[in-house]
Amino acid sequence: LGSYYCQTGRDVAVHLFEWKWADIEKECSWLAEHGYCAVQVSPVHENRVITDPPYPWYQRYQPVSYKMGSRSGNDAQFRSMVSTCNNLGVFIYVDGVFNHMTGGGSGVGSDGSSFNADSKSYPGVPYGENDFHGSAECQTSNGEIQDYNDANQVRNCMLVGLRDLKGSSEYVRGMTSDFMNYLIGVGVAGFRMDACKHMWPGDLEALYGRLNNLNTQWFPAGTRPYIYQEVIDMGSEPIQASDYTYLGRVTEFKHGKNLGDVIRKNNGQRLSYLSNFGESWGQLSGTDALVFIDNHDNQRGHGAGGFGTILTFFEANMYKIANAFELAWQYGHVRIMSSYNWPRNIVNGVDVNDWMGPPGNGGVTANAVCFNGDWICEHRWRQISNMVRFHNAALGYPVSNWWDNGGDRIAFGRSGRGFIVINNEGSEFSQSFSTGLPAGTYCDVISCDNNRPPCGNSGGSCRGEFTVDGSGMAQITVPSGEDPMIALHV
Ligand SMILES: O=C(/C=C/c1ccc(O)c(O)c1)N[C@@H](Cc1ccc(O)cc1)C(=O)NCCCOc1c(-c2ccc(O)c(O)c2)oc2cc(O)cc(O)c2c1=O
Ligand SMILES: [Ca+2]
């Protein structure tokens, strides 16, 4: 399992976090041109509208119904986006929140449906008391998860008070799969399954078995929806990511943590340690892993390692090194994070603004305008988007020509399709490298616009042409400081 469908020659997904459907629709032509395979969108269903704190990002993860109204847009806008993007060969993965509904209290959702969590009443679906886990399934004193070492609690009790759906119920499975099949009918290509640690694999298996094949308007007959499952497994709990790999791909959170530690040189780790990066580091096999540098949750300091480990756009230079390595290396299905800005303010190790939602006003999201100070658009950073092209050129070609200096300087090729040098030490260095590339003249795609001369200047940053001789040798000077990498590809 874990296969996914991309337009030929494409592979990388981008999470356009909290973008509106109309803005994603506009972005798809740029994404198609720059070789992206798919977009992960924010949850599409109706969600709770939280006013304290005001309209936080995590309100999207408290479903009220499976109607299509949210601050990202309505059903018509969603359908239009899917159609436009699919026609451009950029596919859509929906972020599915099916473990739970809202936290305590009552109110009206983003599409006008009322709910009362205290009586477990969600008439917008409808769900009632009997569709949720209760004291029969969860034996903790307050019905909440208290001990993550108890696998039964983690699945059958409420995660931080969120009303926990009974995944074993045929009715619940029916409502969930009906919604997923509706989205498949619209043309989506797959699903990110949220909070799978909190759902039984058997229940997920039954759910996936009810899903239709993808819409033949855009996909070959018999194509199964692509499933990747969020399981936050840092190795310390009994529930493991590997418990879910028989069902589909699984998010590999160790990948971003390990790269963050190595690039920050935490605990004396060196870039040269990455020569066997992947499964040998205790991570899932590459064909089971969905990988990323950061995600919408841990970029805010939550989860493993907090601010000292995970790299984000706030640490731009190290972030570009991490993304360049991830895209040049051959491990996992890569998902690029595309964030909005917020005033991070770390007080006693916690970002007091970690709840903040997307740019806008009063719960209404502003239009996505890249690089306007509000929308970070990492997916459009030259050092990342040009490495998506490198990644695509090297698809299916194994890592080759590894070189390192035993410290924080490494280089490796992709069997004649690409070659990258990364210098995470404090000084520039020059070296003759066996690249494995065909003879010819190449541009550095980290600093230039394109990979073959004339190299294009990207505002004066281009480091010019690199000549590979008949035996694949190239003399390369690798700078230190900003963008300390040289990357070449066919
Ligand atoms: O920080 C958050 C939200 C985090 C979050 C949201 C979506 C995700 O996909 C995710 O991975 C994390 N939420 C804040 C605020 C909050 C929200 C709801 C609530 O009832 C109480 C508080 C918070 O402080 N949450 C407590 C710590 C984070 O605990 C959460 C986890 C979570 C964290 C670590 C784990 O190892 C794990 O298995 C699960 O998953 C969620 C999934 C959801 O679908 C919705 C949630 O509210 C949460 C969620 O609160
Ligand atoms: Ca559960």
Side-chain angles (χ1 to χ4, degrees), residues 99 133 155 164 198:
N99 171 66
H133 287 136
R155 274 69 174 261
D164 203 55
H198 304 278

Side-chain angles (χ1 to χ4, degrees), residues 141-195:
S141 55
N142 61 355
E144 299 207 20
I145 299 168
Q146 295 172 0
D147 178 6
Y148 270 77
N149 290 313
D150 178 341
N152 286 295
Q153 271 186 45
V154 175
R155 274 69 174 261
N156 289 350
C157 298
M158 290 185 286
L159 164 61
V160 290
L162 299 168
R163 272 43 184 172
D164 203 55
L165 284 167
K166 193 185 285 177
S168 57
S169 145
E170 288 308 309
Y171 177 78
V172 170
R173 291 174 179 180
M175 299 311 279
T176 307
S177 54
D178 284 353
F179 178 50
M180 294 175 82
N181 281 325
Y182 167 73
L183 295 169
I184 288 171
V186 169
V188 310
F191 297 89
R192 170 201 182 257
M193 299 298 284
D194 174 75

